[in-house]
Amino acid sequence: MKPVCHRPRVVIVGAGFGGLAAAKRLAGRDVDVILVDRRNHHVIQPLLYQVATAALSPADIAGPIRAIFSHSPNVRVLLDEAIGVRPFDAQVEMKSGTSLAYDWLILATGARHSYFGHEEWSDNAPGLKSIEDALAIRRKILLAFEKAETETDLRRRQGLLTFVVIGGGPTGVEMAGAIAELARRSVSRDFRNITPQCSRVILLEAGKRLLPTFPKELSEAAGRSLKGLGVEVRLGDPVRDVGDGYVDTQNELISARTVVWAAGVTASAAADWLGADRDQNGRVLVDPDLRLPGHRNIFVIGDTASAPGRTGRSLPAVAPVAKQQGRFVAEVILGRRSRNFGYRDFGHLATIGRSRAVIEMGGLRLSGLTAWLIWSFAHVWFLIGFRSRLAVTINWLWNYLTYQRSARLITGEIADTGPPPIRARPLERKCA
Ligand SMILES: Cc1cc2nc3c(=O)[nH]c(=O)nc-3n(C[C@H](O)[C@H](O)[C@H](O)COP(=O)(O)OP(=O)(O)OC[C@H]3O[C@@H](n4cnc5c(N)ncnc54)[C@H](O)[C@@H]3O)c2cc1C
């Protein structure tokens, strides 16, 4: 009797940057891949803020996972959600009630928002992690302008036109810059009762500087660029409370209808599924070859993993780490690598508005327009494989030249955004 030929089965949970990179590397190889995600699309998260501020449309920054692998017969895509892992009988439990057997398992389920124990803030200060989040924030911002146009009470109008971003990391800096440009340049000329002076964009950071992972001079350059756009940057001002229409900080009770949370993330629940040791952000502590300690056939990668870097400190939760780790574990499974994972750091970048950015690459530190051009190129590069690459470039050019936002659509009922309750201290400035 002929022996039954068994191709190894690789189950990948999560089709974000890490899972997708692994699946792409395994496509067309002598393995059967099952790629599971609870969404049917892959999202380029670094560009979510552009959807939230109406510069790009969702389809510009997301693509159906199934379509990415339509020419890879050994990759099967499943729309389902993992809810547990049984390492000792090599099964992943799915929300649909089924379970998936694996020879190799790659967990790449990313991260979610963390409100540092204040989950009750999430209703009034949504975070930005998915297309749904970005659309909800876009709706909130655009509705605030519409309501302000008809609001006759000055204090209420100012609350509608006050936008608070909490968290001074790259997402917070990018979001604050983009809202400031939207408020002061793109929309103000389309309304008759709103003037740029009415809008207030406040960036709150509990620490002593913006962009703490960047060199100090670039943090300062980012702060100057934001101030140039009219953003009020508050450093060392931790948030004490967030509620309906207000943010309470150590220094001010701010009346604001739109608040965006960009202050913290925590890893997905993978550490709970595995009963694994984790770091303070909930990331699974993995071996230097990205395996779960004691389990040779389970890898954890990307934002879900805490992997040691060359200096011994754990690697940052950024897209290049996830992508390189995805490719690395695929190579290990294919038997092409046996050593530990080594991260190649190409630098950090963050953009501020439509023509400024800060970049650190090796010894190179740049800010201003040149940095912005490099940032734009790098982010269009992220879109390889999506038909929208050209569309995004055209949209950006259009926005750049005209200050217009092509995706200023409010969908759904408008009744749910009332004027904010008056919570602020007396107005200090006149807004007409
Ligand atoms: C707003 C924002 C801006 C960012 N900007 C930058 C930047 O400028 N530069 C940079 O390098 N990094 C940036 N990042 C971080 C970067 O996006 C992440 O480090 C990267 O996406 C991590 O990749 P990942 O594969 O680990 O997880 P993700 O890309 O988050 O993918 C996780 C995937 O798993 C799926 N999933 C989760 N749980 C389950 C489950 N239980 N079952 C099935 N599927 C599941 C999710 O749907 C998702 O598709 C940003 C992140 C955000 C949110």
Side-chain angles (χ1 to χ4, degrees):
M1 214 168 71
K2 270 184 165 177
V4 180
C5 176
H6 173 72
R7 293 214 310 182
R9 183 195 262 193
V10 185
V11 172
I12 304 173
V13 187
F17 283 108
L20 203 63
K24 281 183 175 170
R25 193 49 66 100
L26 294 170
R29 305 290 167 191
D30 200 18
V31 289
D32 289 322
V33 178
I34 297 186
L35 177 59
V36 195
D37 202 293
R38 61 185 175 193
R39 295 212 160 77
N40 84 329
H41 51 268
H42 168 79
V43 182
I44 296 154
Q45 291 176 17
L47 293 179
L48 275 172
Y49 82 96
Q50 298 242 351
V51 173
T53 52
L56 294 175
S57 294
D60 293 335
I61 68 154
I65 301 161
R66 203 169 283 290
I68 298 169
F69 294 99
S70 55
H71 299 296
S72 309
N74 72 321
V75 181
R76 193 174 158 218
V77 176
L78 293 184
L79 179 66
D80 206 339
E81 183 171 342
I83 54 167
V85 177
R86 298 200 307 270
F88 295 102
D89 53 359
Q91 301 272 341
V92 183
E93 293 167 0
M94 308 306 300
K95 200 173 182 181
S96 62
T98 56
S99 57
L100 296 172
Y102 60 81
D103 297 302
W104 298 95
L105 175 63
I106 302 173
L107 290 174
T109 41
R112 55 207 152 102
H113 311 300
S114 164
Y115 288 85
F116 308 122
H118 290 282
E119 294 312 311
E120 72 279 8
W121 295 352
S122 63
D123 285 346
N124 296 299
L128 190 57
K129 201 80 189 103
S130 64
I131 292 285
E132 291 87 340
D133 294 338
L135 289 178
I137 292 171
R138 181 180 82 178
R139 178 183 157 75
K140 221 170 171 181
I141 294 172
L142 297 179
L143 266 178
F145 290 119
E146 296 294 337
K147 297 280 174 187
E149 176 74 356
T150 51
E151 179 58 63
T152 50
D153 181 287
L154 276 189
R155 196 171 295 171
R156 285 188 197 280
R157 187 193 294 171
Q158 182 149 342
L160 283 160
L161 291 175
T162 300
F163 303 88
V164 177
V165 179
I166 303 171
T171 303
V173 164
E174 291 176 346
M175 195 69 205
I179 296 176
E181 272 185 346
L182 179 71
R184 289 169 178 267
R185 305 265 193 163
S186 305
V187 300
S188 58
R189 65 183 147 194
D190 297 348
F191 291 88
R192 300 298 166 254
N193 286 332
I194 302 173
T195 67
Q197 294 72 30
C198 291
S199 317
R200 231 180 136 191
V201 182
I202 303 169
L203 177 60
L204 297 173
E205 165 57 41
K208 290 280 172 240
R209 67 180 172 109
L210 298 174
L211 302 175
T213 56
F214 284 65
K216 197 161 176 249
E217 73 202 62
L218 293 183
S219 301
E220 286 166 3
R224 282 194 300 276
S225 296
L226 283 170
K227 282 177 194 157
L229 290 172
V231 176
E232 296 172 36
V233 178
R234 308 264 183 88
L235 301 175
D237 196 5
V239 169
R240 294 195 301 203
D241 190 21
V242 182
D244 186 16
Y246 71 93
V247 176
D248 194 8
T249 76
Q250 212 162 283
N251 298 320
E252 190 186 358
L253 178 61
I254 306 164
S255 176
R257 171 49 64 189
T258 310
V259 182
V260 179
W261 183 259
V265 291
T266 185
S268 73
D272 291 335
W273 302 339
L274 299 165
D277 291 336
R278 60 203 81 183
D279 69 6
Q280 75 275 15
N281 294 320
R283 301 188 298 172
V284 176
L285 295 172
V286 291
D287 286 335
D289 61 359
L290 310 180
R291 289 178 216 252
L292 178 69
H295 296 269
R296 291 204 56 75
N297 61 343
I298 301 180
F299 296 95
V300 187
I301 61 172
D303 285 6
T304 301
S306 175
R310 287 201 176 91
T311 58
R313 288 179 61 192
S314 65
L315 292 170
V318 291
V321 169
K323 279 175 139 178
Q324 291 179 32
Q325 290 182 334
R327 289 194 285 262
F328 173 85
V329 297
E331 297 277 320
V332 173
I333 289 169
L334 294 172
R336 296 174 177 174
R337 293 268 192 127
S338 54
R339 276 185 276 164
N340 293 339
F341 173 71
Y343 174 53
R344 287 188 68 196
D345 187 353
F346 294 105
H348 310 271
L349 40 168
T351 179
I352 305 119
R354 60 174 216 138
S355 58
R356 278 162 271 204
V358 287
I359 290 189
E360 187 202 13
M361 277 178 184
L364 185 71
R365 291 173 184 186
L366 279 178
S367 58
L369 182 62
T370 316
W372 183 81
L373 289 171
I374 296 173
W375 175 90
S376 305
F377 179 77
H379 282 72
V380 168
W381 202 248
F382 263 130
L383 305 180
I384 281 181
F386 291 107
R387 62 167 175 72
S388 52
R389 209 168 149 208
L390 183 65
V392 170
T393 310
I394 292 168
N395 266 337
W396 277 352
L397 269 177
W398 177 251
N399 292 343
Y400 187 82
L401 295 173
T402 64
Y403 281 105
Q404 285 304 310
R405 303 283 171 136
S406 47
R408 269 169 48 192
L409 307 179
I410 302 172
T411 50
E413 294 294 318
I414 59 160
D416 57 347
T417 300
I422 300 172
R423 293 290 299 263
R425 295 181 187 116
L427 276 181
E428 282 166 19
R429 62 159 104 186
K430 195 156 172 54
C431 167

Short mmCIF file of all heavy atoms in Angstrom, two decimals, residues 112 181 228 303 320 345 354 412:
data_model
loop_
_atom_site.label_atom_id
_atom_site.label_comp_id
_atom_site.label_asym_id
_atom_site.label_seq_id
_atom_site.Cartn_x
_atom_site.Cartn_y
_atom_site.Cartn_z
N ARG A 112 -4.96 45.72 20.80
CA ARG A 112 -6.21 46.48 20.90
C ARG A 112 -5.97 47.69 21.81
O ARG A 112 -4.90 47.79 22.40
CB ARG A 112 -7.35 45.59 21.41
CG ARG A 112 -7.04 44.91 22.72
CD ARG A 112 -7.81 43.59 22.87
NE ARG A 112 -7.06 42.68 23.71
CZ ARG A 112 -7.32 42.43 24.98
NH1 ARG A 112 -8.33 43.00 25.58
NH2 ARG A 112 -6.58 41.61 25.67
N GLU A 181 -5.41 70.66 10.13
CA GLU A 181 -5.49 71.10 8.72
C GLU A 181 -6.90 71.02 8.19
O GLU A 181 -7.34 71.89 7.45
CB GLU A 181 -4.56 70.24 7.87
CG GLU A 181 -3.19 70.87 7.87
CD GLU A 181 -2.22 70.18 6.97
OE1 GLU A 181 -2.52 69.05 6.53
OE2 GLU A 181 -1.17 70.76 6.74
N GLY A 228 2.80 75.33 14.60
CA GLY A 228 2.64 76.08 13.34
C GLY A 228 1.29 75.82 12.70
O GLY A 228 0.75 76.68 11.99
N ASP A 303 2.61 42.46 17.04
CA ASP A 303 2.21 43.19 18.25
C ASP A 303 1.83 42.27 19.40
O ASP A 303 1.73 42.71 20.55
CB ASP A 303 1.01 44.10 17.95
CG ASP A 303 1.40 45.33 17.17
OD1 ASP A 303 2.57 45.43 16.76
OD2 ASP A 303 0.52 46.19 16.95
N PRO A 320 7.16 47.15 10.61
CA PRO A 320 8.32 46.43 10.06
C PRO A 320 8.73 45.22 10.90
O PRO A 320 9.15 44.20 10.36
CB PRO A 320 9.44 47.48 10.05
CG PRO A 320 8.73 48.78 10.05
CD PRO A 320 7.46 48.58 10.82
N ASP A 345 16.41 47.36 11.64
CA ASP A 345 15.67 48.59 11.94
C ASP A 345 15.99 49.65 10.87
O ASP A 345 17.13 50.09 10.76
CB ASP A 345 16.08 49.10 13.33
CG ASP A 345 15.23 50.27 13.78
OD1 ASP A 345 14.42 50.77 12.97
OD2 ASP A 345 15.38 50.70 14.94
N ARG A 354 0.28 68.21 6.04
CA ARG A 354 0.43 67.82 4.65
C ARG A 354 1.83 68.04 4.09
O ARG A 354 2.09 67.70 2.95
CB ARG A 354 -0.57 68.55 3.77
CG ARG A 354 -0.42 70.01 3.82
CD ARG A 354 -1.31 70.74 2.85
NE ARG A 354 -0.59 71.90 2.35
CZ ARG A 354 -0.58 72.29 1.11
NH1 ARG A 354 -1.24 71.64 0.20
NH2 ARG A 354 0.09 73.36 0.76
N GLY A 412 -25.33 57.56 7.49
CA GLY A 412 -26.20 57.20 8.62
C GLY A 412 -26.98 58.40 9.13
O GLY A 412 -26.90 59.51 8.61
#
